[in-house]
Amino acid sequence: MSDVRHSPPTAKGLEYLGAVAGGLVHEIRNPLSTMNITLQLLQEDFADAPEDDERAQRVQRRVTALRREVTRLEEILDDFQRYAGMRRLDLAQIDVNRVLEEVTAFVRPECARVGVRLMFWPDRSLPLVRLDERLLKQAVLNLLLNAIQAMEEMAGGSEPPDRTLELIVRTRTEGETVRIDVIDTGPGIPPEVGQKVFEIWYSRKRKGTGLGLPTARRIAEEHAGTLEFVSEPGKGSDFVLRLPLAGPPDAGA
Ligand SMILES: Nc1ncnc2c1ncn2[C@@H]1O[C@H](COP(=O)(O)OP(=O)(O)O)[C@@H](O)[C@H]1O
Ligand SMILES: [Mg+2]
């Protein structure tokens, strides 16, 4: 994706953007789903074509490629909707460790596939925190997927990785906040890239949308929290999510 620079949207701006985007996403989603169904039918039409019918095989391959792209467009719409969708926080007293347990369990198969050792180090004395569970899951999932993808890139290189691939999720309290670390032993983030990773549409991946980190940061900020990272090229990265233990200031209002 291209590297588009812009200043972060304000809450009001986001609300407006969310409304406009909601309509646009809806309008695009319908024809896309018609395309997907039509392509699927086309695929079925050619499904029993003989192996030596080269033209039919070619059509099959092209239809498969088209369906893949349609699916990708649908994924971009999903991500964008999550980023732009202005939604009231659905706050409750949440056991952060339990939520993280669930999210890490969700990515465990992916870690196994890539050869990543996944560890969860919860602070068992963590108090309940007032937050939106679904959004917390979304934010942490985005961080986990980035970490796994970064390490996968390294594992897939011509040289075998010179260190074990590890993904550590850790919780602890820090002053009036709960601190969640997502630590990887991936390639790290070059200093010249720096804070650009938080810009919408900024991605260094061939198939990236550049929405993962902006969404995660936005979720942190909606909770009056922060998302930052420390990274050492060649060693790995540590994404640090801090959320106020008491929840957002107007919690329960
Ligand atoms: N853990 C990480 N290690 C190395 N680079 C990372 C990590 N997390 C994010 N990045 C970099 O930040 C960019 C933006 O991430 P993100 O907003 O999630 O978009 P996407 O994953 O779609 O590329 C990624 O393309 C990647 O280059
Ligand atoms: Mg991402």
Side-chain angles (χ1 to χ4, degrees):
M1 288 254 165
S2 60
D3 173 6
V4 182
R5 270 151 211 279
H6 75 122
S7 48
T10 59
K12 259 248 140 351
L14 268 172
E15 200 173 334
Y16 176 70
L17 177 67
V20 174
L24 182 64
V25 165
H26 182 77
E27 292 302 321
I28 297 175
R29 214 183 269 287
N30 288 335
L32 266 186
S33 105
T34 309
M35 281 167 69
N36 208 358
I37 292 165
T38 310
L39 287 170
Q40 199 177 329
L41 293 173
L42 196 58
Q43 214 166 24
E44 282 165 16
D45 286 344
F46 283 86
D48 45 12
E51 290 267 337
D52 59 355
D53 184 343
E54 273 183 34
R55 180 185 275 195
Q57 297 305 329
R58 201 162 54 230
V59 171
Q60 274 279 21
R61 280 198 302 279
R62 288 178 173 161
V63 171
T64 304
L66 277 171
R67 282 196 71 192
R68 202 165 44 229
E69 295 305 309
V70 168
T71 304
R72 178 163 155 65
L73 284 171
E74 285 173 338
E75 282 166 9
I76 294 175
L77 291 184
D78 288 342
D79 281 359
F80 187 73
Q81 215 164 22
R82 269 194 285 269
Y83 174 75
M86 213 33 200
R87 215 172 59 89
R88 257 176 197 287
L89 292 183
D90 186 5
L91 298 167
Q93 295 288 347
I94 299 295
D95 177 351
V96 171
N97 288 332
R98 195 250 318 145
V99 173
L100 295 183
E101 197 104 52
E102 287 175 27
V103 191
T104 50
F106 181 72
V107 298
R108 198 168 284 284
E110 185 65 3
C111 287
R113 188 183 66 76
V114 178
V116 169
R117 185 157 165 240
L118 173 64
M119 284 166 284
F120 180 39
W121 296 344
D123 172 352
R124 292 292 176 201
S125 67
L126 218 61
L128 297 181
V129 183
R130 195 168 170 77
L131 53 79
D132 185 317
E133 173 171 342
R134 208 183 61 95
L135 291 181
L136 173 65
K137 272 189 182 149
Q138 184 62 56
V140 174
L141 183 63
N142 290 359
L143 301 181
L144 291 172
L145 292 178
N146 278 344
I148 297 167
Q149 286 159 5
M151 289 190 278
E152 179 174 25
E153 199 180 296
M154 210 169 62
S158 49
E159 304 266 305
D162 60 353
R163 54 188 182 273
T164 37
L165 304 179
E166 287 180 354
L167 176 53
I168 300 169
V169 180
R170 191 179 61 190
T171 58
R172 52 167 116 145
T173 54
E174 202 180 65
E176 296 302 301
T177 66
V178 53
R179 170 177 171 152
I180 302 168
D181 286 83
V182 175
I183 304 164
D184 69 63
T185 58
I189 296 168
E192 66 271 20
V193 169
Q195 297 297 309
K196 275 196 270 190
V197 295
F198 291 111
E199 289 174 13
I200 183 170
W201 307 128
Y202 180 84
S203 175
R204 289 154 59 82
K205 294 168 198 162
R206 214 162 46 85
K207 296 242 158 174
T209 60
L211 287 164
L213 288 178
T215 304
R217 177 171 263 185
R218 190 166 155 248
I219 290 171
E221 287 171 354
E222 277 179 27
H223 285 86
T226 58
L227 175 63
E228 291 158 341
F229 73 87
V230 201
S231 184
E232 201 177 326
K235 282 231 156 96
S237 309
D238 177 0
F239 278 81
V240 186
L241 177 62
R242 289 186 181 86
L243 304 174
L245 290 171
D250 57 348

